[in-house]
Amino acid sequence: TVIRKSGAVDMFPIVIEDSIVRNNDYNGKEVVVTGAIRSMDTSKNPNKHHNANYIAADEVEILAEQVPEGDINEVEFVARSCTYTKLTPVTHKKVLNLFVAIPRDFSERADFIRCTLWGKGADLAVDVKRNDYIKVTGRLMSRDVYVNGEETESVYEISVKEMEKLEDEE
């Protein structure tokens, strides 16, 4: 769980190997989780994809004291852009959803995640085309998606702070 400065709470599923957990009690403690964002297609329909995201922890460090100024929720990665939705006016701000593929080390697989750019930040993606390499810096966020007034699921995304288009890495 990460508490934003606004008081909103983001919750993320984290997968941790037993060898990392050991006999530590993480309940109620501040921790730093280092790892990778992963996705898994949970759709039972082969014609429609639904990605569930989680963090695969490489390391979990229990902090001796609280972090000054609150949370340290930060992510940074290089990815290929996949698709993006058009700029949409939401409460008088532009919003752009960009889907990216983060390649896994030593594998042909990639993990897919939504990146959200708000306001002037949405202009950062104007020159990004499908399959462009981009470097993204931001924070993990969660939100509940409602369909027809009913809560359906939590979705996880990156709220983009900075994005840079890179030269091809091939």
Side-chain angles (χ1 to χ4, degrees):
T1 301
V2 175
I3 302 172
R4 297 184 210 166
K5 290 179 183 174
S6 68
V9 176
D10 293 310
M11 297 179 70
F12 310 106
I14 300 174
V15 176
I16 308 171
E17 288 185 24
D18 285 342
S19 63
I20 295 172
V21 173
R22 294 178 218 107
N23 291 323
N24 290 321
D25 177 15
Y26 297 104
N27 193 24
K29 297 178 181 169
E30 285 200 24
V31 297
V32 173
V33 177
T34 305
I37 301 169
R38 295 287 187 236
S39 65
M40 176 174 49
D41 188 356
T42 59
S43 175
K44 294 184 180 6
N45 180 345
N47 297 323
K48 188 173 184 179
H49 297 285
H50 178 268
N51 281 330
N53 295 108
Y54 62 95
I55 299 169
D58 294 330
E59 183 180 340
V60 179
E61 175 189 353
I62 297 175
L63 299 177
E65 52 190 60
Q66 284 192 327
V67 176
E69 303 293 321
D71 85 76
I72 56 171
N73 177 0
E74 296 177 1
V75 296
E76 181 177 286
F77 56 86
V78 173
R80 276 192 186 260
S81 65
C82 293
T83 61
Y84 66 90
T85 58
K86 294 180 182 176
L87 291 173
T88 307
V90 175
T91 63
H92 307 292
K93 277 191 173 182
K94 292 186 281 187
V95 62
L96 185 135
N97 290 318
L98 175 71
F99 291 88
V100 299
I102 304 170
R104 288 191 183 185
D105 292 338
F106 314 110
S107 173
E108 296 289 320
R109 286 207 57 208
D111 293 292
F112 297 89
I113 192 160
R114 173 198 316 253
C115 294
T116 303
L117 297 97
W118 290 89
K120 292 181 181 178
D123 296 331
L124 295 171
V126 170
D127 294 331
V128 174
K129 295 175 182 57
R130 185 177 173 88
N131 289 325
D132 281 348
Y133 280 100
I134 55 175
K135 179 179 178 183
V136 175
T137 304
R139 57 183 290 120
L140 274 169
M141 299 181 77
S142 65
R143 62 184 170 88
D144 293 326
V145 175
Y146 296 88
V147 176
N148 299 328
E150 294 183 32
E151 184 176 336
T152 59
E153 66 183 29
S154 293
V155 294
Y156 307 96
E157 59 196 1
I158 305 298
S159 177
V160 177
K161 180 179 173 184
E162 296 177 14
M163 182 172 42
E164 175 185 355
K165 185 176 171 181
L166 304 174
E167 298 298 321
D168 282 346
E169 293 192 356
E170 298 182 279

